[in-house]
Amino acid sequence: HSVGLGTVAGHLAADTDTVILWVDAHADINTLASSNTGNVHGMPLSFNIKELQSENEEAGDDLKWLNPSLSPSRLAFIGLRDVDASEWKSIHKFSIPSFPMHTIDRIGIASAVESALNTVDPLKKRKIHMSFDIDVLDPKEAPATGTRVRGGLTLREALTLCELVNETGRLTALDLVEVNPSLAKTEDDLDTTVEAAVEVILAAIGDPRVTE
């Protein structure tokens, strides 16, 4: 999900009022100081949040081009279920609205999406950047990805999420990441994952769901 470092930065450079809907099993808000692995794909949000730059100083000139301008109040998480303790610390410190899977199980995906958007955009005027990691889906729905975690969204829940975001009329950017054909164990696994990704994209851009 490291591509989100640049796509979020670019969208905010064009419109600083943009809100970010991060749909992912992981929070990706680790810093260079807090990460246990050093993997950049677990850090893209932290590089965009000004308040976390004291923990990313090791990046030096490599990210000199980046102007961190994401306010934590304009970020919301949906679908979390594999989050490091240091990431929860940041989420709680900045009061970032978060709707992990155990919350979605209780209140439903529609309520989670509506609550997230109402929190980051109460006046319903801001543009929306949705960064969607395919691993937010349960592995049986999208097996060809690198960091699978059981207990994720069903495809139907994901499509409902995307349809609700589309219906706002304010979705102006969409990332769809972490589809990895090389990790498919079978042709069926590959087809299942790719088909799910295509359906997610179509739902987000307003293509009606096909029923049989």
Side-chain angles (χ1 to χ4, degrees):
H1 211 157
S2 54
V3 67
L5 190 160
T7 59
V8 169
H11 202 166
L12 290 169
D15 183 351
T16 56
D17 284 337
T18 297
V19 299
I20 311 299
L21 197 60
W22 201 263
V23 185
D24 198 329
H26 312 90
D28 296 341
I29 199 171
N30 263 313
T31 64
L32 287 170
S34 70
S35 174
N36 292 322
T37 65
N39 292 329
V40 176
H41 66 77
M43 307 180 196
L45 284 172
S46 78
F47 287 114
N48 277 286
I49 296 173
K50 185 176 182 180
E51 293 86 344
L52 290 174
Q53 294 323 294
S54 62
E55 298 183 35
N56 283 328
E57 291 178 347
E58 288 182 25
D61 290 340
D62 290 342
L63 290 177
K64 192 175 181 179
W65 58 270
L66 179 63
N67 177 30
S69 53
L70 174 58
S71 168
S73 66
R74 293 182 185 173
L75 166 66
F77 292 107
I78 293 180
L80 298 180
R81 58 190 186 279
D82 185 12
V83 180
D84 293 342
S86 58
E87 294 180 298
W88 278 124
K89 183 178 179 180
S90 293
I91 290 170
H92 293 146
K93 178 180 179 180
F94 299 118
S95 300
I96 300 172
S98 172
F99 298 85
M101 283 308 305
H102 66 82
T103 299
I104 294 170
D105 289 340
R106 295 174 184 175
I107 69 174
I109 190 63
S111 292
V113 174
E114 290 168 3
S115 295
L117 291 176
N118 286 338
T119 302
V120 297
D121 185 20
L123 299 180
K124 298 178 172 57
K125 292 182 178 180
R126 293 169 177 158
K127 294 176 181 177
I128 301 168
H129 181 120
M130 180 163 66
S131 202
F132 191 108
D133 190 320
I134 201 70
D135 72 23
V136 76
L137 296 178
D138 191 83
K140 69 177 182 293
E141 304 275 18
T145 189
T147 47
R148 298 180 296 274
V149 187
R150 292 176 63 185
L153 295 178
T154 65
L155 182 57
R156 288 181 64 182
E157 288 174 318
L159 297 183
T160 296
L161 184 163
C162 292
E163 289 163 353
L164 288 169
V165 174
N166 171 267
E167 288 169 8
T168 67
R170 303 191 302 280
L171 178 65
T172 50
L174 171 69
D175 307 323
L176 191 288
V177 304
E178 301 295 351
V179 175
N180 192 336
S182 68
L183 296 178
K185 295 181 180 179
T186 66
E187 197 69 27
D188 284 345
D189 281 358
L190 176 57
D191 290 344
T192 296
T193 307
V194 172
E195 288 169 9
V198 170
E199 289 190 54
V200 164
I201 293 169
L202 291 175
I205 65 175
D207 197 62
R209 235 185 275 193
V210 177
T211 57
E212 298 180 357

